[in-house]
Amino acid sequence: MSLLFQGLSLREVHLPNRIGVSPMCQYSARDGHVTDWHRVHYGARATAGAGLLIVEATAVAAEGRISAGDLGLWRESQIEGLAHIARQARSQGCVPAIQLAHAGRKGSLSLGWEPQRGLEISEGGWTPVAPSALAFSPAFPIPAELDEAGIAGVIEGFAASTRRALEAGFEAVEIHGAHGYLLHQFMSPLSNQREDRWGGSFEHRTRLVREVVGAVRSAWPERLPLLVRLSATDWIDGGWDIEQTVELCRVLKQSGVDLVDISSGGSSAQAKIPVGPGYQVPFAQRVRREAGIPVAAVGMITEPAQAEAILAEGQADLVLVGRELLRNPYWPLQAAEALGETPAYPKQYLRAVPFRRSAG
Ligand SMILES: Cc1cc2nc3c(=O)[nH]c(=O)nc-3n(C[C@H](O)[C@H](O)[C@H](O)COP(=O)(O)O)c2cc1C
């Protein structure tokens, strides 16, 4: 039996296999609310055999959006549309998860398919917030430095959005601590130049992510798993790195985090990233081995045999697939076939299955 199609239990939630749909912004929300596009996009992926579907970065505050097209959970009215997505996934045997996010200084931007630039207030933009008043690049807005009350508001935003995610029927929450967004901005010395208790030492720079994890864990039932996505490295000397990631993951494990999802980069426009097949997998492996916590690997994992080998070599417990699932939503069914498993096609499609069983 292939490892990719073995189940994975996290607390009381059982994933039927070890393929997850990586969170991917669709930039198609209206005032943070789900639209028809989300129903089509997530519905298609829910029928395609992945064990876990992580809904895109969903903002915990209006000013925490990357763009005006981001989903949100900062208002009660945003629950209903997301409840539909969660219900659709559950009905297909796919575990629905949601990524909760705050973009910090990488907010008030154009939509994902437009040339990337900061929006003026007059075109519907806003002043983003950050640990320090440093723009990500000249094309990005200069953020306002968060004060104590603002930081407390961010933590409360994560907790309140977690309660709404529960009401919407999600079975897992992922905190977005990667890609140069707010929590990572606090963690990385490249973006955090504070001298108060939120900046400076490792302990101070990781205080916000630790406090957010504590607040989310308290708002999220014991029976349900909590995931955190981290950038293992900034790919810049003097930035956040794999050693700090391992140290943080040891702490997160003690704080009730069930799995860390290991990505990289996003802090600096100057980073040189050696992108290639499975290029982030060694970071996941190191966290798994040295921090002793279950991990997800992500990043240019596109081949069934590659995904299987990552599990077989003990590099990760779960494999997340991003762009390949945009190109080809049925990748999980095809991967099952490639690995000698019976693909779990929806019964409505059984007569179309290009597989031995359908011949008779
Ligand atoms: C269109 C698009 C949107 C994305 N949005 C998010 C997001 O909302 N949250 C996140 O953590 N990563 C996001 N990512 C990163 C993916 O989840 C994934 O980590 C990355 O694409 C690498 O995996 P891949 O090579 O399988 O695509 C996005 C990527 C793409 C292509």
Side-chain angles (χ1 to χ4, degrees):
M1 191 187 180
S2 77
L3 296 172
L4 196 57
F5 288 89
Q6 269 178 31
L8 175 68
S9 290
L10 297 169
R11 300 206 180 214
E12 291 179 27
V13 171
H14 185 72
L15 314 187
N17 59 53
R18 291 172 183 238
I19 303 171
V21 181
S22 201
M24 282 179 286
C25 285
Q26 298 298 300
Y27 305 105
S28 300
R30 230 170 271 126
D31 197 19
H33 295 78
V34 160
T35 63
D36 278 349
W37 174 256
H38 299 100
R39 287 186 271 274
V40 169
H41 166 74
Y42 288 114
R45 277 139 198 92
T47 60
L52 177 71
L53 172 74
I54 309 181
V55 168
E56 68 198 72
T58 298
V60 302
E63 70 279 9
R65 290 174 295 171
I66 304 165
S67 77
D70 287 27
L71 286 176
L73 261 181
W74 69 85
R75 294 209 321 233
E76 301 297 302
S77 61
Q78 291 158 338
I79 296 173
E80 192 186 322
L82 284 164
H84 180 91
I85 307 287
R87 209 163 46 236
Q88 259 182 343
R90 278 201 313 275
S91 76
Q92 302 304 311
C94 175
V95 172
I98 188 163
Q99 188 184 55
L100 298 181
H102 194 302
R105 69 176 181 167
K106 290 173 102 176
S108 187
L109 301 182
S110 47
L111 301 179
W113 50 81
E114 295 172 346
Q116 200 174 49
R117 66 178 183 90
L119 294 189
E120 303 294 332
I121 308 282
S122 59
E123 7 170 40
W126 58 92
T127 303
V129 294
S132 305
L134 299 168
F136 174 73
S137 81
F140 282 57
I142 298 173
E145 182 175 312
L146 279 164
D147 60 13
E148 283 285 340
I151 293 173
V154 167
I155 297 167
E156 177 45 32
F158 272 95
S161 299
T162 301
R163 290 190 283 272
R164 295 185 189 111
L166 181 66
E167 206 178 319
F170 287 96
E171 294 178 351
V173 157
E174 176 170 274
I175 296 171
H176 199 343
H179 301 168
Y181 295 116
L182 187 69
L183 301 184
H184 185 189
Q185 284 159 35
F186 271 82
M187 284 150 58
S188 174
L190 304 177
S191 41
N192 183 347
Q193 298 187 350
R194 299 175 76 101
E195 291 176 355
D196 60 3
R197 67 195 188 104
W198 303 98
S201 65
F202 170 84
E203 199 200 334
H204 285 200
R205 283 182 283 112
T206 59
R207 189 184 308 282
L208 182 59
V209 67
R210 292 184 286 110
E211 296 228 346
V212 165
V213 163
V216 168
R217 190 67 265 181
S218 306
W220 192 237
E222 277 287 310
R223 69 191 157 83
L224 298 179
L226 172 60
L227 283 55
V228 176
R229 175 168 271 201
L230 295 173
S231 280
T233 175
D234 287 340
W235 298 105
I236 293 267
D237 285 345
W240 180 257
D241 57 22
I242 180 65
E243 284 74 25
Q244 296 176 78
T245 301
V246 168
E247 198 174 334
L248 175 62
C249 288
R250 290 193 182 115
V251 177
L252 296 184
K253 185 184 175 188
Q254 301 306 321
S255 313
V257 172
D258 301 290
L259 181 141
V260 283
D261 166 7
I262 300 297
S263 188
S264 76
S267 266
S268 165
Q270 269 77 51
K272 302 251 179 302
I273 306 181
V275 176
Y279 69 108
Q280 297 172 147
V281 174
F283 296 125
Q285 177 178 23
R286 195 155 157 199
V287 168
R288 185 174 194 256
R289 196 176 53 222
E290 294 181 21
I293 185 170
V295 302
V298 66
M300 291 195 71
I301 301 167
T302 56
E303 299 298 327
Q306 179 195 13
E308 179 72 12
I310 289 168
L311 300 176
E313 288 164 24
Q315 295 178 299
D317 302 273
L318 177 71
V319 171
L320 300 183
V321 181
R323 289 162 294 177
E324 184 60 24
L325 286 173
L326 298 185
R327 290 185 285 268
N328 177 12
Y330 290 115
W331 188 88
L333 295 174
Q334 294 157 3
E337 216 167 314
L339 296 173
E341 299 285 337
T342 305
Y345 275 91
K347 58 181 180 292
Q348 294 86 344
Y349 292 178
L350 279 180
R351 287 178 64 183
V353 175
F355 193 66
R356 293 168 291 281
R357 284 180 307 121
S358 62

